[in-house]
Amino acid sequence: LNSVNDVAAHAVDIRDKKKEYLLAFFLNARHQLICKETISIGTLTASLAHPREIFAPAIGKAAAGVILVHNHPSGDPSPSDEDVRLTKRIAQAGQIMGIELLDHLIVAENGCHSFKSAGAL
């Protein structure tokens, strides 16, 4: 996974879902994909996630990094205030645990938003 487009291509299956899906891509120290896992399936307008649901499998898989991807059923990839808060919280938890949050992407019918590309990570 070398680019935002690579990650988005691996998450194309959630782009048009009617509920929010949160996926985690667990990577080794060379940023090679170990596995992709669905962390949660939320509601029409919210994804229900907590750092423990993301980092428990990351620890079990000996991941060095994580990329999060979730969809916006509205079609608008712009991050909500809750998306921004969750991203900061996950990044802080990852720093403590030594598992870097490499990016958080929002995919939607009308495009994709990368927190890293936007300078928010």
Side-chain angles (χ1 to χ4, degrees):
L1 300 176
N2 296 315
S3 71
V4 170
N5 290 337
D6 287 347
V7 177
H10 277 81
V12 71
D13 54 325
I14 67 165
R15 185 178 300 266
D16 61 353
K17 296 285 189 186
K18 300 299 178 210
K19 294 182 178 181
E20 282 200 10
Y21 281 68
L22 176 65
L23 307 178
F25 293 78
F26 300 111
L27 308 172
N28 65 20
R30 293 183 178 196
H31 295 179
Q32 296 168 320
L33 183 64
I34 298 169
C35 73
K36 169 178 120 175
E37 193 168 306
T38 300
I39 300 299
S40 72
I41 300 171
T43 65
L44 179 65
T45 58
S47 176
L48 310 171
H50 189 277
R52 73 177 151 260
E53 280 88 31
I54 295 162
F55 289 108
I59 292 167
K61 296 174 186 341
V66 176
I67 298 173
L68 297 179
V69 181
H70 82 276
N71 65 313
H72 276 181
S74 68
D76 180 1
S78 302
S80 68
D81 291 342
E82 180 57 30
D83 293 336
V84 172
R85 281 192 295 274
L86 175 67
T87 302
K88 288 179 182 176
R89 191 169 173 205
I90 298 301
Q92 289 170 344
Q95 279 183 324
I96 291 166
M97 298 173 59
I99 302 171
E100 183 180 3
L101 177 60
L102 299 166
D103 203 349
H104 180 184
L105 271 63
I106 301 170
V107 295
E109 191 175 313
N110 297 324
C112 177
H113 175 85
S114 162
F115 280 83
K116 183 171 184 154
S117 295
L121 270 179

